[in-house]
Amino acid sequence: MVSRLGFLGVIARLFMWAFLLGLAVVVLYPLLWMVLNGFKTNAELFGNPFALPTGIDFGNYRDAWNRGVSGYLATSVLVTVTSTVATVFISAWAAYGLTRVDIPFNKVLTAVILGGLMLTPTVALVPLVRMFQSIGLYNSFWALLILYTAFRVPFTTFLIRAYMIDLPREVDEAAQIDGAGRWTAFWRIILPMCKPIITSTVLLHVLFAWNEYLFAMVFTNGSDVQTLPVGLTSLMSKHGTDFPVVFAGMVIAAVPVVFLFLFGQRYIVKGLADGVGK
């Protein structure tokens, strides 16, 4: 009986490793294929798209960089960083008010903020376009900053609020005894205690803002304010597309997010497990 259980355990492990190996191939092969095709010519790509490149030449990557990817990258970095700072700060301040301050209609305000989770961007596109055009913010950096912040505040507030609820109230009382005001208590005591969930929300927002396409496509129409997901489409032409250059641009766009996820995934899991998982 014991040997039979041991045999079943070995079989289960083999199936598990086979499944994980297959999953790794499914996830990593498209990325590797994209990187390798960035070193080919159009003739090589269409002749045998799954073959290895005949040589390692970074000419396609230089062409992609010179054809606008550098500008799109700078815009994406600017929009991502500013919207991340704005979203996390506003959400943390809102979560602090909802959990640590006795304010009238607290539950109603919480429901209103979290109700934003049910609003899908596609439903609001037309009125938002008209509104931004009327106030002169259409096709501008500010349009993306406001939209990325507004539509992510409810979700980010939900995560940070869930973490702050379990923080001991004694720290607030001790801060008041020491003469600390609300701002000092929030900035110097509560916010450092929320470091795990703050790190998680920062990483989640970066992944969202870097890859967001709908708002960036609808609310921008000039190359000087387009982000990477939209800007890469300009590398494609109706009269002939140099696909290796497009693949090279996609690799340049993917590299920062891949490294960020690889180095930050444990912080995402830890922050969410310590917060919402409590």
Side-chain angles (χ1 to χ4, degrees):
M1 185 67 177
V2 175
S3 60
R4 183 180 178 183
L5 291 176
F7 176 75
L8 292 176
V10 172
I11 296 298
R13 285 194 184 92
L14 289 176
F15 273 110
M16 182 188 68
W17 281 108
F19 172 76
L20 293 177
L21 181 61
L23 186 62
V25 171
V26 170
V27 173
L28 295 178
Y29 179 75
L31 296 175
L32 179 62
W33 183 78
M34 181 174 68
V35 172
L36 293 178
N37 282 334
F39 294 105
K40 297 181 179 180
T41 63
N42 252 348
E44 291 176 333
L45 179 60
F46 286 103
N48 192 345
F50 299 103
L52 293 175
T54 56
I56 302 299
D57 183 7
F58 288 92
N60 291 328
Y61 288 87
R62 287 193 297 270
D63 289 344
W65 185 264
N66 294 329
R67 286 170 59 177
V69 171
S70 59
Y72 303 139
L73 180 67
T75 302
S76 286
V77 170
L78 180 61
V79 172
T80 300
V81 171
T82 53
S83 64
T84 299
V85 173
T87 300
V88 174
F89 177 77
I90 293 172
S91 301
W93 187 240
Y96 177 79
L98 294 174
T99 57
R100 321 300 291 186
V101 182
D102 295 326
I103 56 179
F105 307 108
N106 188 299
K107 293 183 179 180
V108 175
L109 290 174
T110 301
V112 170
I113 293 175
L114 299 184
L117 293 171
M118 297 183 289
L119 180 63
T120 59
T122 51
V123 174
L125 276 181
V126 175
L128 283 173
V129 169
R130 297 293 298 273
M131 182 182 72
F132 278 87
Q133 287 176 338
S134 64
I135 61 179
L137 292 181
Y138 182 78
N139 192 36
S140 69
F141 159 79
W142 292 103
L144 296 182
L145 173 60
I146 293 171
L147 290 168
Y148 287 2
T149 302
F151 277 88
R152 293 294 290 185
V153 161
F155 176 69
T156 310
T157 302
F158 167 74
L159 294 179
I160 301 177
R161 175 182 173 274
Y163 192 95
M164 283 189 181
I165 287 176
D166 290 327
L167 296 180
R169 286 279 184 174
E170 288 77 9
V171 295
D172 299 86
E173 297 172 357
Q176 289 181 352
I177 293 175
D178 291 339
R182 293 290 185 189
W183 173 255
T184 303
F186 165 75
W187 188 254
R188 295 190 177 182
I189 300 175
I190 300 299
L191 209 57
M193 294 176 67
C194 294
K195 184 179 178 180
I197 194 64
I198 294 296
T199 304
S200 297
T201 54
V202 166
L203 294 173
L204 289 174
H205 185 87
V206 168
L207 294 175
F208 159 78
W210 190 266
N211 296 302
E212 200 281 327
Y213 181 80
L214 180 62
F215 284 147
M217 178 189 65
V218 174
F219 289 87
T220 61
N221 56 20
S223 59
D224 55 332
V225 292
Q226 286 179 336
T227 58
L228 272 170
V230 178
L232 289 175
T233 61
S234 66
L235 299 179
M236 305 180 69
S237 171
K238 295 180 180 179
H239 306 289
T241 299
D242 194 348
F243 284 99
V245 175
V246 176
F247 283 122
M250 293 169 63
V251 171
I252 295 173
V255 165
V257 178
V258 170
F259 276 99
L260 178 68
F261 180 77
L262 290 177
F263 288 106
Q265 59 180 332
R266 66 188 184 96
Y267 296 105
I268 295 177
V269 175
K270 184 179 185 303
L272 295 180
D274 291 346
V276 180
K278 287 185 178 181

